[in-house]
Amino acid sequence: MLKKLFFNWKMNPTSPNEASSLFAEFVSLAQSQPQISLVVLPPYVYLSELNQQLQTFGVTNLKLGAQDLARHSAGAYTGQISGQMLKNMGCQYVLIGHSETREAYQLSHEQINQKLLQSLESGLVPILCVGHQSDKTITEINYPELSEQVTTALQNLPPEFKTEFYLAYEPVWAIGTGKTATNSIIEEVSQFLKQELAKLGLAKQVGILYGGSVDDVSIQELVKLQQVDGFLIGGASLKPEKFKTIAQVVANQV
Ligand code: PGA
């Protein structure tokens, strides 16, 4: 199956016009590569307008997602955005526990778990990000930490939980640094994550993603990964020439 591509715009771009022009590039990419599934994760404030843009063009292989959601469904939580609000804005996906979000809000495992449960309750497909926060180099893999991140986030799931969801492996040292993990490390970690998911009875519906400096150059090697179902792309998602090359390389890998 072709690898799915998730584009995290982070806190970019600065204006609605720029957001709309950038999104138009994704629409044209989706139209020219109908076999590839694309998900764009813009800042909250652009969701409504981009959803309208999406409806106008009627492309079915491009979807919207959000970069975070509140731990609660409604109420006195100033500054927070609920899963249901996101759903009503046309979102189908939501990132949970991105390392930048974990760091900015000092999120506990319990809080990540609450966000995950909220995403399911609202009918959003979660993309749970995990990565070894404590490791500083390419060769160290902190398996106990990865295991803890996965098992604590996936506690108390509803028994009927059968929906698709994604687990994104993002080593913190690889995010925005231009350094990617080697394919052998990514395969090894993906295998480990699948075993952890199997212990929780969740192996079947989970897609494994890799994120961390995926760009038009690193994709040439990363696309060969067998255990990985897609990529989470940050910086390169703001550069049309880069994300179009990424999509082309993925499309060629049939
Ligand atoms: P990057 O970001 O592609 O810029 O490394 C990835 C991410 O933060 O999800």
Side-chain angles (χ1 to χ4, degrees):
M1 218 169 71
L2 282 183
K3 298 186 192 314
K4 194 163 174 141
L5 300 175
F6 294 83
F7 298 93
N8 176 11
W9 287 5
K10 308 195 180 189
M11 201 171 70
N12 300 289
T14 316
S15 71
N17 280 350
E18 288 168 282
S20 182
S21 315
L22 181 60
F23 195 64
E25 300 282 356
F26 283 94
V27 171
S28 82
L29 173 61
Q31 286 168 329
S32 64
Q33 303 275 10
Q35 72 283 35
I36 300 197
S37 295
L38 310 168
V39 179
V40 171
L41 309 155
Y44 296 133
V45 290
Y46 302 135
L47 281 169
S48 172
E49 184 155 333
L50 300 187
N51 187 34
Q52 278 179 24
Q53 208 169 328
L54 193 56
Q55 303 309 317
T56 309
F57 288 96
V59 277
T60 54
N61 58 326
L62 173 60
K63 311 278 187 212
L64 281 169
Q67 299 172 14
D68 193 13
L69 84 170
R71 296 187 282 130
H72 306 279
S73 54
Y77 302 104
T78 304
Q80 299 296 300
I81 310 278
S82 75
Q84 200 55 55
M85 291 173 184
L86 296 172
K87 185 79 184 173
N88 293 341
M89 285 284 148
C91 278
Q92 295 190 20
Y93 295 83
V94 64
L95 274 185
I96 295 176
H98 188 284
S99 66
E100 289 157 8
T101 317
R102 286 182 195 252
E103 165 95 19
Y105 298 102
Q106 293 294 306
L107 293 174
S108 66
H109 291 312
E110 191 196 352
Q111 290 170 333
I112 302 271
N113 176 242
Q114 288 171 325
K115 285 172 184 270
L116 194 111
L117 296 176
Q118 279 301 317
S119 73
L120 300 179
E121 212 173 291
S122 334
L124 295 166
V125 174
I127 307 152
L128 173 65
C129 300
V130 296
H132 25 102
Q133 303 273 356
S134 56
D135 293 354
K136 298 283 176 280
T137 70
I138 294 175
T139 46
E140 290 169 48
I141 303 173
N142 189 335
Y143 283 116
E145 187 179 351
L146 279 178
S147 172
E148 193 182 12
Q149 286 181 346
V150 173
T151 47
T152 54
L154 297 174
Q155 286 175 80
N156 310 318
L157 295 183
E160 71 285 2
F161 173 63
K162 289 277 179 296
T163 117
E164 90 179 292
F165 87 91
Y166 293 88
L167 193 54
Y169 168 54
E170 296 208 301
V172 174
W173 52 260
I175 297 177
T177 58
K179 294 183 204 151
T180 53
T182 60
N183 280 15
S184 69
I185 286 187
I186 300 169
E187 295 283 18
E188 191 180 315
V189 173
S190 304
Q191 194 59 40
F192 173 78
L193 293 174
K194 284 182 184 173
Q195 284 162 10
E196 293 297 292
L197 291 163
K199 284 188 212 158
L200 300 168
L202 295 170
K204 285 215 175 76
Q205 73 253 47
V206 181
I208 303 280
L209 310 178
Y210 168 77
S213 296
V214 179
D215 63 17
D216 50 327
V217 177
S218 61
I219 191 67
Q220 310 285 348
E221 193 57 26
L222 294 168
V223 77
K224 298 176 193 158
L225 287 163
Q226 296 294 319
Q227 304 275 341
V228 163
D229 304 294
F231 298 105
L232 180 53
I233 298 149
S237 62
L238 305 173
K239 303 261 167 17
E241 70 286 359
K242 292 196 180 189
F243 62 73
K244 286 182 180 180
T245 302
I246 294 172
Q248 187 63 55
V249 172
V250 166
N252 291 345
Q253 193 77 7
V254 188

